[in-house]
Amino acid sequence: MSTPTEVGMSTPTEVGMSIESDRVSWAVRDRLIVDAVSVAVRPGSTVGLLGPNGSGKSSLLRLLAGLRPTSSGVVRLDGADVSGMSRRDVARRLAVVDQESTTDSDPSVRDVIGLGRLPHRAPWAPESACDRDIARMAAATMRTEHLLDRRYATLSGGERQRVQLARALAQEPTELLLDEPTNHLDVRHQLELLELVRAASATTVMALHDLNLAAAYCDEVVVLRAGRVQVAGPPEIVIRPEMIAEVYGVEAEVEHTPSGLHVRYLRALTGRPEATIEGGRMTR
């Protein structure tokens, strides 16, 4: 397995890291879901978490957000242990957008986006003019101003994702954690949404399935397999045919073009012997 340093990622505890995990593990009934994962994210960068279903991407995001206690290891925000911070303090720094957000009530889009201001208000304090202005700016950034008076339940999947991102931006986060933000979206809306994410002024960590999207929109990628980091670094170094075969069980071609890296999938692989990635090379 390549280490972060070997492929360009920053090592944990390095000065100036925005968010980092240091050998973080999480287990359920003695089953390791996340296994000794160390990731360090530079301020202002966009990092993609890659890997097949069940590799631990969503669980790692929740650990980074402090939504779950680690079984071992430490998550830090600007060097501070997240486990020692209050939920309000974390929410003032860090916003999370899940794959799907539902509600039993029938709020308006304006109300949903306004929820992002709760960490900045005293308990039971009414919404201020400043809160409304910030929520309105977040709506404009995510191109949802025209939806403010709609009921959230009437929106399409793509509209809901943009509204949830607007709600997250209304928190004024310095870190943004996204779990499969392009899930259930058509190609056009995937591209539009990721363009908006890149334009937002926040350090971003997002779980993605599409390797081509990761190559186009991420500065660094971390590939997880069975809860562990298989390889990490810039997309042009990490996304290789050998890695795709090993981690995803798919034969693929990877082309480097003037417009960027492009992955072409050829066929599913079956009956292959176990292999590991060593120093960016596949070995058996």
Side-chain angles (χ1 to χ4, degrees), residues 48-160:
L49 300 181
L50 307 179
N53 289 337
S55 59
K57 301 187 298 296
S58 296
S59 296
L60 178 58
L61 280 175
R62 292 184 176 278
L63 292 170
L64 291 176
L67 297 175
R68 283 186 179 140
T70 65
S71 299
S72 62
V74 180
V75 174
R76 300 184 183 92
L77 274 175
D78 282 345
D81 187 342
V82 169
S83 67
M85 301 171 66
S86 71
R87 285 308 311 158
R88 178 177 289 271
D89 286 342
V90 173
R92 286 173 174 167
R93 279 282 314 269
L94 187 151
V96 182
V97 177
D98 286 322
Q99 290 187 39
E100 295 184 12
S101 297
T102 59
T103 176
D104 293 332
S105 60
D106 187 24
S108 69
V109 169
R110 191 185 307 276
D111 291 337
V112 171
I113 297 175
L115 292 174
R117 299 304 304 159
L118 290 179
H120 300 278
R121 300 208 304 262
W124 310 111
E127 184 181 55
S128 68
C130 179
D131 290 329
R132 289 190 290 272
D133 287 342
I134 291 171
R136 192 160 43 245
M137 285 189 289
T141 298
M142 286 295 135
R143 302 175 190 169
T144 56
E145 282 182 301
H146 64 293
L147 302 174
L148 288 173
D149 294 321
R150 289 266 303 274
R151 311 314 292 184
Y152 182 74
T154 69
L155 303 183
S156 68
E159 289 169 335
R160 289 189 186 193

Side-chain angles (χ1 to χ4, degrees), residues 185-214:
L185 302 184
D186 60 37
V187 174
R188 174 187 170 185
H189 288 102
Q190 289 179 13
L191 298 177
E192 286 182 347
L193 186 136
L194 290 178
E195 290 286 352
L196 292 170
V197 168
R198 280 301 297 259
S201 57
T203 302
T204 302
V205 181
M206 57 182 171
L208 290 170
H209 269 304
D210 192 309
L211 300 184
N212 286 306
L213 291 178

Side-chain angles (χ1 to χ4, degrees), residues 29 41 61 178 232 280:
R29 292 188 291 276
V41 183
L61 280 175
L178 310 176

Side-chain angles (χ1 to χ4, degrees), residues 18 41-46 174 198 200-204 219:
S18 173
V41 183
R42 298 184 183 96
S45 64
T46 298
T174 53
R198 280 301 297 259
S201 57
T203 302
T204 302
D219 302 306

